[in-house]
Amino acid sequence: MDKVLELLLGRPEMMLPVVKEYINKFKPIAYGLAQEVAEVLKDYSNNTEYPTVKAKIKKNLFDAYVAAGFTEEQALVLMMNDNVSLTKNMEQLGSCAKKTK
C-alpha cells in the first residue's frame, strides 16, 4: 500500500487508473457482502418474535399506567410523550456527536 501511495504522490495523474483498478478488483467482494446483508435482512423481515416481544412490552407499559391509576387516554399520552422524549434525546446526542468531530 505504501508503494501505491508513493506512486500517487509522485504522479497524481495515475490516481484515477489505480483507483479504478482497485474498485474493479474489490467490486465482486463488495457485491458479495451486500448480497449477504440482503439475505440477513430477508431472514429478519420474516422474524415475528421481535415484533411480538416489542408489542408485549408496549402493552405491559400501557397496562402498568392504567393500573397505576391513569385513564387509558392518559396512558396513551404518557407513552407518546416517552417516544417524543426519546426522539429529542437522540437528536441531541446526534448534534453533540457532530460538534465533537
Side-chain angles (χ1 to χ4, degrees):
M1 186 59 110
D2 289 335
K3 290 181 181 183
V4 171
L5 290 175
E6 283 178 34
L7 172 69
L8 295 178
L9 289 174
R11 298 181 58 199
E13 69 277 2
M14 293 298 296
M15 185 172 219
L16 187 57
V18 170
V19 169
K20 282 183 178 181
E21 182 181 333
Y22 274 99
I23 288 173
N24 288 329
K25 182 178 180 180
F26 290 104
K27 209 183 275 190
I29 295 168
Y31 286 150
L33 290 172
Q35 184 61 42
E36 289 303 315
V37 170
E39 291 299 321
V40 169
L41 290 174
K42 283 181 196 175
D43 290 345
Y44 186 71
S45 71
N46 293 321
N47 180 320
T48 58
E49 185 178 358
Y50 175 72
T52 301
V53 169
K54 192 173 175 181
K56 183 70 174 164
I57 290 169
K58 289 183 181 201
K59 176 72 167 97
N60 288 342
L61 181 59
F62 175 83
D63 291 344
Y65 280 134
V66 172
F70 294 100
T71 66
E72 289 185 356
E73 184 178 285
Q74 290 170 327
L76 286 173
V77 168
L78 288 168
M79 291 176 72
M80 290 183 342
N81 185 53
D82 290 345
N83 288 338
V84 169
S85 295
L86 177 62
T87 301
K88 285 182 181 177
N89 288 340
M90 295 303 290
E91 287 172 356
Q92 287 176 345
L93 285 173
S95 63
C96 287
K98 287 179 185 175
K99 288 178 184 176
T100 58
K101 287 185 178 181

